[in-house]
Amino acid sequence: MTINLNPDQSRILNWRVSSGGVAGVIGPAGCGKTTTGSFLAVKMICEGYAKNVLLVAFTNSAANEFSRELSMVLGPEGSKFLCVRSGYAPGADLRLPIPFSNNIEIVRAKKIVICTTQSLKRLSASIKFDNMIIDEAGIERLEHLLSPFALGINQLGIHLMKENISFETNNIIELASQCGIVATVVGDPKQSRPIGLADYDLSAMEWVLKCAKYDTLFTTHRLPDKLAMLVDEFADYGGLNSAPEIASRRMDVKYAIDEKFKNVLNPEEVITWVNLNGNEEMGGPSSWYNELEAKACVRICSELRRVAPSKSISVVTRYTEQRRTILKYLQSLDIDARVLTTTGALGTQADIVIFSLVRNNPERVVGAVGSLQDLNVAISRSKEKLIILGSFEMMLNSLTSSFNLNPRLKQNFAQKLARLVDKKYGMVVEAPNILCN
């Protein structure tokens, strides 16, 4: 079996097959977190490092991605023979060759089991796993690690628990390692955090990074050079770079761009900030929308569909009400484009991404759209072209409330993004008249 991995992925695979305990892997956008986890499971089984492996994801979509990767690596027959998808049947992609079952005997007979965190309770406590890979830990709370950890405590772990655990052990990550649990916890706390978690508290991934050894994937196969550099400096990854084969990738168009949109859609610029001063309006108790921005998004999508009909387009916004507004206008004109909130955009990508900022007020309060995670997700979905749409002055001079200002980093991320785009990695252009009415 030939597995083509980049040096980062190979380094992490070799590290994890030769080490035990709980460890973390940070995976920025497009760096192949799911690929690395899937290949690690296959390597563990095929080379005899483990008798069985549990692959856990927080959502069904991520669990299905594991199944898809395994199907490609092992082939239809190999994946059918070695793997089983368990848990919640309606959430499983049954088009894949990996069978679905909650039958204990079938699950016990397979070498690789794929399941969601919430569905682990469907697995019998009598099934124990030598090794586990836990994905999407950035959006999980610490207690979400308990379910998979419980399935990793075997008789050896019980013995270690009785004989060797130090009374100085003071966190669950170290305790799990001393109980014989072997788990690779994968995620990116700079892209996601659990809903409702206080700024001063830690996600499951952040606890692992604090209490265990970890490594980082630094090569992105999604973001071209300037986008990779922007995301790297914005989120402070410390070395994110584009894979050589995609570094120079740019948006290519089939037809000439209308003169009115030339600055907005300039193919030579990977990142364009279109300065548009629409008015924000409340859409319910906790959401916002911006009518002018919504209409501008639709007009840009319409021109993109004309000049680049084969390209995938995503519109990303922090606010559910803005998503509804944009969808309403797109559907009325029968324009094909995906519209996502920043939460829904996790794990997705598109050739061209339009990021609608929405917020624009005299008090300069950006609210939730100014968080590290929301901004990082929005700017890291694009494979060719990123268009940021909204008031540049508002973001550049924004005030971020203490709720949205990460106390561990003490940065105003809205200001940081505006400065990086303007001074180093992109171009700020004034919205043409066609977008202003």
Side-chain angles (χ1 to χ4, degrees):
M1 176 178 55
T2 301
I3 298 177
N4 296 316
L5 298 173
N6 64 44
D8 288 340
Q9 293 168 323
S10 296
R11 181 186 69 248
I12 287 172
L13 257 65
N14 292 331
W15 165 49
R16 287 309 290 151
V17 297
S18 61
S19 61
V22 179
V25 174
I26 300 173
C31 287
K33 296 185 288 294
T34 305
T35 300
T36 304
S38 300
F39 286 170
L40 178 58
V42 171
K43 187 177 181 70
M44 290 280 185
I45 296 299
C46 293
E47 298 183 14
Y49 292 100
K51 293 180 180 178
N52 58 1
V53 177
L54 174 65
L55 289 174
V56 186
F58 192 70
T59 63
N60 277 297
S61 59
N64 289 334
E65 282 302 311
F66 269 139
S67 298
R68 193 168 291 110
E69 287 280 354
L70 289 165
S71 299
M72 289 191 294
V73 175
L74 295 168
E77 293 304 315
S79 57
K80 189 183 298 183
F81 178 73
L82 289 174
C83 307
V84 65
R85 171 78 155 87
S86 189
Y88 180 60
D93 188 345
L94 301 179
R95 297 169 298 177
L96 298 171
I98 293 176
F100 178 92
S101 180
N102 285 322
N103 181 284
I104 297 304
E105 295 308 316
I106 293 175
V107 172
R108 186 180 281 117
K110 297 296 184 178
K111 298 295 185 182
I112 300 174
V113 179
I114 308 108
C115 194
T116 63
T117 307
Q118 295 298 320
S119 294
L120 284 176
K121 59 181 177 288
R122 298 171 186 263
L123 296 181
S124 171
S126 64
I127 302 176
K128 300 300 179 183
F129 294 90
D130 298 335
N131 206 296
M132 57 187 66
I133 297 150
I134 305 170
D135 197 11
E136 296 189 310
I139 58 175
E140 294 187 326
R141 296 173 182 266
L142 180 60
E143 56 266 31
H144 290 135
L145 295 180
L146 296 178
S147 294
F149 280 1
L151 296 175
I153 302 177
N154 51 28
Q155 291 302 312
L156 172 62
I158 293 170
H159 172 72
L160 290 169
M161 190 184 300
K162 289 178 179 178
E163 302 295 332
N164 299 329
I165 291 179
S166 167
F167 287 107
E168 296 179 0
T169 302
N170 61 4
N171 67 77
I172 195 171
I173 308 301
E174 185 179 345
L175 178 63
S177 294
Q178 292 191 16
C179 288
I181 295 168
V182 182
T184 303
V185 183
V186 184
D188 182 4
K190 294 178 179 180
Q191 289 191 71
S192 59
R193 276 174 62 78
I195 296 171
L197 192 69
D199 278 3
Y200 55 79
D201 207 350
L202 301 179
S203 67
M205 188 66 196
E206 288 168 320
W207 274 111
V208 171
L209 300 181
K210 180 180 179 180
C211 302
K213 293 181 179 180
Y214 65 90
D215 201 346
T216 303
L217 294 162
F218 283 115
T219 304
T220 174
H221 293 266
R222 177 191 303 162
L223 308 175
D225 48 11
K226 285 189 176 180
L227 256 179
M229 289 187 286
L230 170 65
V231 171
D232 181 54
E233 188 168 349
F234 173 73
D236 196 23
Y237 284 115
L240 182 66
N241 60 85
S242 299
E245 62 270 19
I246 63 102
S248 61
R249 187 168 59 199
R250 297 293 185 268
M251 181 180 76
D252 58 301
V253 296
K254 188 173 182 179
Y255 303 105
I257 298 170
D258 188 295
E259 191 67 34
K260 304 184 193 72
F261 288 94
K262 277 199 170 176
N263 286 341
V264 175
L265 301 184
N266 182 359
E268 297 304 312
E269 284 292 341
V270 178
I271 306 156
T272 302
W273 190 311
V274 182
N275 184 34
L276 181 65
N277 284 296
N279 297 317
E280 66 175 41
E281 297 181 62
M282 285 202 75
S286 61
S287 195
W288 299 85
Y289 69 100
N290 188 313
E291 194 84 19
L292 188 62
E293 277 186 32
K295 291 179 179 177
C297 284
V298 173
R299 288 181 177 127
I300 294 171
C301 286
S302 178
E303 179 65 7
L304 284 169
R305 274 284 156 259
R306 186 186 70 80
V307 301
S310 64
K311 298 294 182 183
S312 58
I313 304 170
S314 285
V315 182
V316 178
T317 179
R318 171 61 178 78
Y319 299 103
T320 302
E321 195 59 36
Q322 182 73 345
R323 177 179 178 273
R324 288 197 194 102
T325 305
I326 295 168
L327 267 176
K328 175 182 69 176
Y329 289 125
L330 284 172
Q331 290 169 352
S332 69
L333 298 173
D334 196 26
I335 297 172
D336 178 25
R338 199 173 183 186
V339 187
L340 304 161
T341 62
T342 46
T343 302
L346 273 169
T348 70
Q349 62 182 13
D351 296 322
I352 304 157
V353 171
I354 304 168
F355 175 29
S356 173
L357 296 171
V358 178
R359 299 304 301 272
N360 190 15
N361 55 74
E363 296 77 25
R364 295 178 291 149
V365 175
V366 296
V369 76
S371 74
L372 165 64
Q373 288 79 15
D374 285 289
L375 289 172
N376 193 21
V377 167
I379 67 174
S380 61
R381 302 301 100 193
S382 174
K383 296 164 64 178
E384 296 180 6
K385 176 80 175 178
L386 170 66
I387 300 168
I388 302 173
L389 185 63
S391 173
F392 178 76
E393 295 300 323
M394 169 73 185
M395 297 290 274
L396 183 64
N397 300 299
S398 63
L399 299 176
T400 310
S401 67
S402 59
F403 178 81
N404 294 303
L405 187 62
N406 188 317
R408 293 185 295 280
L409 298 177
K410 299 294 184 185
Q411 295 187 55
N412 185 316
F413 293 104
Q415 287 184 2
K416 185 177 184 180
L417 178 62
R419 288 177 180 142
L420 287 173
V421 172
D422 185 35
K423 301 297 184 184
K424 296 182 76 172
Y425 301 116
M427 178 174 287
V428 180
V429 302
E430 290 301 317
N433 290 335
I434 194 170
L435 300 182
C436 295
N437 49 56

